[in-house]
Amino acid sequence: MMNIVQYIYREVHYRIVQKNPMLKNNPARYNHALKIALSMKKALSYQFLSYLLFGFFSGMGVFVISSLDVISTYVVFLSIIPFIFAVFITSVQGSNVVYMGVFEPLKSLPLKLGSKYLSFYLLLEILPSLGIVLPTSIVIAIKYPLPGIISFFWFLAGIFLGHIIGLLILVLFGLKIRQRAGKSELLVNIVRAILFFLFFGIFYAFVYMQNYIMEHSGEWAGLIGRYSIIFPFSSGTIFHPLFSTILLILYLALLAPIYYLMIHRIWEGIMEPRVVFGEKEIKGYKIKSKPTIFTLIGKDMKILIRRTALLAGFLITLYIVFPQIFMVLSTGNFPILNAVIILIMIGAFSAGGIDAILKIDINAIEFLRTLPLRKRDFVIGKIISMSVVPWGIGMAILIIALYYNGLYALILIPHVFLLPFIASSVVMLYYFHYKEEDIGIPDLKKTDLVVLFLILMLIMGIISIPLIFHLVWVSEVVAFAIFLLLLIFLRR
Amino acid sequence: MKKYFEKIVLDGISFKVENGEIYGFLGPNGSGKSTTLKILAGVLKPTSGRVEVEGIYVVSNPVEVKKIIGYVPETPTLYESLTPAELFSFIGGIRGIDEKILKERVNRFVEAFEIGKYMNQFIGTLSFGTKQKISLIASFLHDPRVIIMDESMNGLDPKSARILRELLIRFRDEGKSIIFSTHVLPLAEMICDRIGLIYEGKLIAEGTMDELREKAQEENLEDIFLKLTKSKDDMANIIQALQEVL
């Protein structure tokens, strides 16, 4: 059993490293990345420890709480995190594993239910998330032993439930092979991307969770009491050990057959993927030839729309700035200065889409390298593709600002377009500043992301300085100067 | 020379392909054929040495070289979420092919390789053979002066293989340079003007069929290949060993 799970793990991570040409050109980094990626124990332990650090702070919060209602509410909220991990990793990573063809060599082997290996592999990828909740369970167990242990089992139950929901998503969306491009695919994929946001939205809420729980624990205690049999409220029953344990057993009894059913359906789907045809058969085909940059952007947009996981990453700027926009708008007015601050924030977070934008080409990078494509054109194409979503959000901000402030809001136009372009250019120049014409997918290391974040903050800080004196137009002149400077770098 | 980390995979390879010539590049699996062809196409860089295509240095000017080359890789790695029609449009845009000419060429190739019914399907859903046809068309669309093909007959149905063979002969007659690797030795024997034999990263023999026959003292290309790659003597022992376990 573990041999096959290990094979899947190694194969998936090997392919991820292999598809990174930037690593291939750097033997030392390649070997290091491969060493870490192929060692299941090392990689999972590293992830677990990272999450444990996060979980440690969360556990410390519980340590100082004495109210049982507050602790129950805390457990309810916390149990959502491994649940979301399980849903997300199962559906997205599961779909990727099948899409990569990792199961192809297994198809010809006499395996009865190969999907159980996929399930175990995915559970292995999910397990490090326990690091976030484990310290809390330990802290509760120190103070109240039995509820502490039960809380841990509820976290495990959350993972199992999330895993089953992820498997259901996989059965419904992840194992189909769509044959033709249809117009409805954009809508369906946007809906899916929004669902991903909702999952992540709960992570965002975690930041505010502690304060919120302190203030509203009384209301939640009532809610937990009322809906105590429904997850995640059920995990708030830890201080009624007998009831909570029976509930856990009932959950397990209910989920086990569903799990088995899902595993069966997934294996059928892997062995014989369901082919979905587009809305209608198109008889002719269109061949167009556009200038290089437009060709590159068109290709990026088509692929983003067709691959949900990429679309979710592409729209990440929207997800990051949405709560801020919501908070500002909820005040009932929208002064120009607030709009500028949001536009600067949009600009700074425009870089968030880089991962999705670069992953578009990861499978076809060798093909791309056979074409007479200049690195400069590739980089400019990517900058514009990366700026599409921030430009869209910026336009929405502009419209709202026009509604509240009249035509004066037109002063925002340069910032709407310049800031995302500046941020995207900085990111792309950072990764593609090497001399050679080779096009590759850069290795996005965490340290690079931190350095990039600091650079972007510095640039946005410089652009923001005139705003201290309410000089929006000066800020725009500064932005324009930086834009011109970047254009010179891009030309070179 | 080409090194992968510490391992030397190509060593001292030197050959020239003339205009209007089909050059067959043969060798056992893992001998360095694909690496050599990728270096010629500007996809990989040599660790040392000089590679020139039509007088342009590949290492220092890969983009200019790629403009005149049509490269067909061993395994088609295409954008799986695009349709063939979208992929050909993409290539047309990147290569700056006039839309009218592009349409005309696409239509002709699509008809010849009979892939019209797949033009609006995602490439990821197509069979290996169909992907191979798409990869071939993609590399011919700009009417390249130099064609580099890495085992491109793989997965093709007999009709398409025949069309491709005739096409290569026609390209040669038009003065194009063609270099291709293959394991189909009768094909190489039939259409190649010269053949290079690569073994363990070294070019061990090169010449016309007659020159190779003379060198190996064997009649057909299969025997020449086995003899020069020192595989012939092992064959009886290998087959004997297999018979013992099966």
Side-chain angles (χ1 to χ4, degrees):
Chain A
M1 163 70 91
M2 271 316 279
N3 274 350
I4 296 179
V5 174
Q6 203 161 12
Y7 152 75
I8 296 172
Y9 183 92
R10 286 174 66 98
E11 190 62 24
V12 169
H13 289 268
Y14 174 77
R15 288 185 192 205
I16 291 169
V17 175
Q18 276 295 305
K19 280 175 184 165
N20 190 338
M22 300 307 286
L23 283 179
K24 263 185 167 177
N25 291 336
N26 187 335
R29 272 175 73 184
Y30 173 85
N31 282 336
H32 180 69
L34 205 60
K35 211 172 159 184
I36 290 178
L38 295 189
S39 167
M40 199 166 81
K41 279 180 199 162
K42 259 189 199 169
L44 293 178
S45 310
Y46 176 74
Q47 276 181 47
F48 179 75
L49 288 174
S50 314
Y51 291 136
L52 200 64
L53 193 73
F54 184 54
F56 176 75
F57 292 107
S58 156
M60 288 306 285
V62 178
F63 196 76
V64 292
I65 300 169
S66 55
S67 160
L68 297 187
D69 280 351
V70 177
I71 295 175
S72 298
T73 312
Y74 201 88
V75 171
V76 168
F77 274 79
L78 209 59
S79 64
I80 299 169
I81 292 175
F83 167 77
I84 293 165
F85 257 96
V87 174
F88 188 73
I89 291 176
T90 306
S91 54
V92 175
Q93 186 74 335
S95 174
N96 276 342
V97 170
V98 178
Y99 181 77
M100 278 178 182
V102 172
F103 269 89
E104 292 308 307
L106 297 179
K107 280 185 180 179
S108 58
L109 297 177
L111 294 175
K112 243 186 180 176
L113 199 59
S115 49
K116 70 181 174 212
Y117 304 111
L118 173 67
S119 168
F120 290 144
Y121 156 72
L122 293 169
L123 282 169
L124 267 180
E125 295 271 22
I126 298 162
L127 278 181
S129 67
L130 276 177
I132 300 172
V133 292
L134 189 64
T136 301
S137 281
I138 292 170
V139 169
I140 298 174
I142 291 168
K143 291 162 84 177
Y144 313 98
L146 198 54
I149 294 165
I150 296 172
S151 72
F152 183 68
F153 280 108
W154 273 117
F155 294 142
L156 285 179
I159 286 182
F160 193 45
L161 181 65
H163 182 56
I164 289 173
I165 292 172
L167 292 176
L168 181 70
I169 294 171
L170 202 57
V171 167
L172 294 176
F173 306 112
L175 302 171
K176 284 179 196 167
I177 293 178
R178 183 169 277 276
Q179 278 216 320
R180 289 191 193 92
K183 279 177 191 164
S184 63
E185 64 185 339
L186 173 64
L187 195 68
V188 172
N189 275 321
I190 285 177
V191 169
R192 280 191 221 165
I194 288 169
L195 280 176
F196 283 123
F197 286 151
L198 290 179
F199 286 138
F200 277 117
I202 300 166
F203 272 98
Y204 190 84
F206 183 78
V207 180
Y208 302 105
M209 195 179 86
Q210 276 176 306
N211 286 337
Y212 179 82
I213 290 170
M214 289 296 193
E215 287 167 17
H216 299 85
S217 62
E219 299 156 33
W220 279 99
L223 210 62
I224 291 166
R226 239 179 295 154
Y227 302 109
S228 59
I229 58 165
I230 302 166
F231 184 86
F233 302 111
S234 53
S235 44
T237 59
I238 53 168
F239 290 106
H240 306 281
L242 184 64
F243 177 70
S244 202
T245 309
I246 292 169
L247 210 55
L248 261 171
I249 294 167
L250 279 174
Y251 260 85
L252 192 68
L254 190 76
L255 292 177
I258 300 174
Y259 173 73
Y260 190 71
L261 187 77
M262 288 296 130
I263 291 290
H264 258 279
R265 290 285 305 274
I266 285 175
W267 190 231
E268 283 165 17
I270 290 173
M271 290 301 277
E272 205 173 326
R274 199 145 52 95
V275 176
V276 180
F277 289 89
E279 292 148 339
K280 56 181 179 183
E281 190 160 344
I282 308 157
K283 293 220 170 94
Y285 54 85
K286 283 179 195 161
I287 299 290
K288 290 174 190 163
S289 184
K290 290 178 190 160
T292 307
I293 305 286
F294 290 110
T295 303
L296 288 165
I297 298 166
K299 179 260 301 171
D300 283 355
M301 294 302 132
K302 278 187 185 117
I303 294 174
L304 281 169
I305 286 166
R306 289 166 190 174
R307 295 197 56 196
T308 314
L310 290 182
L311 185 64
F314 181 57
L315 296 174
I316 203 156
T317 317
L318 176 67
Y319 154 70
I320 294 170
V321 298
F322 185 75
Q324 274 74 16
I325 297 172
F326 184 77
M327 279 191 318
V328 169
L329 288 180
S330 62
T331 59
N333 54 31
F334 196 48
I336 290 291
L337 206 62
N338 282 7
V340 176
I341 290 165
I342 287 187
L343 287 176
I344 286 175
M345 195 187 290
I346 293 168
F349 288 111
S350 299
I354 185 172
D355 197 31
I357 283 291
L358 291 174
K359 271 188 182 153
I360 290 171
D361 303 292
I362 204 160
N363 280 335
I365 193 73
E366 202 163 306
F367 165 72
L368 207 57
R369 289 166 78 147
T370 67
L371 299 175
L373 180 60
R374 293 200 178 276
K375 190 172 72 180
R376 190 181 61 193
D377 292 341
F378 178 77
V379 167
I380 292 174
K382 289 291 177 198
I383 289 169
I384 296 173
S385 293
M386 247 170 98
S387 304
V388 166
V389 170
W391 280 340
I393 308 169
M395 289 293 284
I397 296 292
L398 179 67
I399 292 166
I400 297 167
L402 280 167
Y403 175 78
Y404 281 102
N405 304 284
L407 288 177
Y408 176 62
L410 290 175
I411 195 173
L412 297 171
I413 288 177
H415 268 344
V416 169
F417 293 100
L418 289 180
L419 298 178
F421 189 91
I422 288 171
S424 306
S425 303
V426 168
V427 175
M428 295 308 280
L429 282 168
Y430 181 85
Y431 280 111
F432 290 90
H433 69 275
Y434 52 84
K435 265 186 184 175
E436 293 88 0
E437 268 295 332
D438 276 352
I439 292 161
I441 307 298
D443 175 27
L444 301 177
K445 285 174 75 179
K446 279 177 191 157
T447 44
D448 288 325
L449 293 175
V450 172
V451 172
L452 255 177
F453 183 74
L454 292 174
I455 296 172
L456 284 173
M457 286 303 123
L458 182 73
I459 292 173
M460 292 303 158
I462 293 168
I463 294 171
S464 304
I465 291 170
L467 297 177
I468 299 169
F469 311 102
H470 293 232
L471 295 169
V472 177
W473 67 272
V474 177
S475 159
E476 285 175 340
V477 169
V478 174
F480 191 69
I482 294 171
F483 167 74
L484 288 179
L485 195 69
L486 287 167
L487 278 188
I488 293 167
F489 281 125
L490 283 169
R491 274 182 67 85
R492 285 169 68 190
Chain B
M1 187 180 72
K2 176 71 183 172
K3 270 166 90 176
Y4 275 124
F5 310 128
E6 290 311 308
K7 194 183 171 200
I8 296 171
V9 291
L10 292 179
D11 190 10
I13 295 222
S14 181
F15 63 91
K16 189 179 177 187
V17 182
E18 301 291 342
N19 288 338
E21 184 180 42
I22 300 181
Y23 188 93
F25 204 48
L26 311 182
N29 292 332
S31 56
K33 297 187 298 293
S34 297
T35 307
T36 309
L37 297 185
K38 278 180 186 172
I39 288 172
L40 275 176
V43 176
L44 280 181
K45 278 189 187 139
T47 310
S48 63
R50 202 183 72 204
V51 188
E52 257 180 76
V53 175
E54 300 242 319
I56 307 168
Y57 290 112
V58 178
V59 176
S60 57
N61 218 340
V63 174
E64 288 309 309
V65 168
K66 285 170 190 175
K67 281 181 186 170
I68 54 168
I69 276 181
Y71 169 66
V72 190
E74 185 181 1
T75 315
T77 49
L78 306 163
Y79 286 102
E80 306 234 316
S81 312
L82 295 184
T83 65
E86 288 166 348
L87 183 85
F88 297 147
S89 300
F90 172 72
I91 291 164
I94 298 290
R95 290 197 176 275
I97 306 169
D98 177 74
E99 192 167 298
K100 201 177 156 195
I101 296 169
L102 180 70
K103 276 182 186 170
E104 181 66 26
R105 285 182 188 159
V106 168
N107 289 342
R108 289 283 164 89
F109 279 116
V110 164
E111 212 174 300
F113 286 105
E114 296 176 332
I115 61 159
K117 60 182 169 184
Y118 306 118
M119 287 298 277
N120 292 315
Q121 287 192 14
F122 294 132
I123 292 168
T125 66
L126 303 175
S127 70
F128 180 83
T130 310
K131 283 182 193 169
Q132 190 70 306
K133 289 178 188 176
I134 292 165
S135 186
L136 280 164
I137 298 172
S139 59
F140 293 156
L141 282 178
H142 58 297
D143 193 22
R145 295 211 296 273
V146 178
I147 295 166
I148 300 169
M149 302 203 309
D150 193 358
E151 295 180 34
S152 309
M153 293 280 182
N154 291 354
L156 291 186
D157 54 70
K159 189 180 171 187
S160 301
R162 178 68 182 265
I163 288 170
L164 180 60
R165 200 178 79 196
E166 296 301 325
L167 208 55
L168 291 181
I169 292 169
R170 207 185 132 182
F171 285 157
R172 176 192 51 196
D173 296 343
E174 285 172 359
K176 296 183 198 300
S177 308
I178 299 155
I179 171 163
F180 81 101
S181 75
T182 182
H183 289 302
V184 187
L185 300 185
L187 172 76
E189 202 168 345
M190 195 189 301
I191 67 167
C192 291
D193 299 303
R194 282 190 307 136
I195 286 169
L197 209 56
I198 183 172
Y199 181 61
E200 291 182 347
K202 291 187 171 80
L203 194 67
I204 54 168
E206 189 191 33
T208 61
M209 268 307 292
D210 288 339
E211 287 165 350
L212 291 176
R213 277 189 196 111
E214 200 179 315
K215 183 171 183 179
Q217 294 297 305
E218 294 284 357
E219 193 48 39
N220 65 57
L221 189 56
E222 188 178 280
D223 289 327
I224 295 170
F225 179 89
L226 292 173
K227 188 165 185 180
L228 292 177
T229 57
K230 297 163 189 162
S231 316
K232 202 166 185 184
D233 301 336
D234 298 340
M235 294 288 279
N237 294 336
I238 292 166
I239 291 164
Q240 173 73 31
L242 283 174
Q243 276 171 346
E244 280 168 18
V245 293
L246 292 173

